[in-house]
Amino acid sequence: MTAPKHILIVEDEPLIAMMLEDFLEVLDQSVAGSCDSVTAALGRIDGGGIDAAILDVNLRGGEKSTPVAEALAAAGIPFVFATGGSDDSVDQRFRDRPVLQKPFTMDGVEKALAAL
């Protein structure tokens, strides 16, 4: 199976989002969008054209990306969680999904996408 091509980034830290965009470009992937909130991400998912997503578990203001994970799962779009914390922060229903640990490395991002 080939790695997904159009990746949605859900990350509330602009510098981290830009770094992920750079990594994806080097890995010959395209960014389907970069969102910093659940509302923005859900709107982007409705727009289609997403092959996979990287979801920061904890977003600004205590918001969790769980509703985004639910929407992606319902649409059959694979995703990986990004977290600086333990796997405990990932909703129980999604513990089987790949987890990308912060700080990100190019190698880590590549392996996480390959696991999808």
Side-chain angles (χ1 to χ4, degrees):
M1 179 175 145
T2 59
K5 277 292 192 199
H6 304 287
I7 316 294
L8 173 66
I9 298 170
V10 181
E11 169 61 62
D12 63 338
E13 294 289 339
L15 288 175
I16 295 175
M18 287 189 310
M19 182 181 69
L20 281 172
E21 290 171 13
D22 290 344
F23 283 0
L24 292 173
E25 189 177 320
V26 170
L27 294 169
D28 201 28
Q29 308 292 311
S30 67
V31 176
S34 191
C35 303
D36 64 0
S37 70
V38 168
T39 304
L42 292 176
R44 182 58 198 87
I45 292 165
D46 287 344
I50 297 168
D51 296 325
I54 298 173
L55 305 180
D56 187 3
V57 174
N58 298 302
L59 300 170
R60 191 170 288 128
E63 191 175 44
K64 293 258 193 199
S65 62
T66 307
V68 180
E70 292 166 346
L72 290 166
I77 300 169
F79 57 91
V80 58
F81 282 110
T83 180
S86 68
D87 291 351
D88 298 349
S89 56
V90 173
D91 187 287
Q92 187 105 23
R93 294 167 295 165
F94 301 116
R95 295 263 167 94
D96 60 332
R97 301 288 177 152
V99 174
L100 180 59
Q101 289 291 336
K102 292 179 180 179
F104 302 131
T105 62
M106 177 87 66
D107 191 47
V109 171
E110 186 173 27
K111 284 181 177 158
L113 292 176
L116 298 175

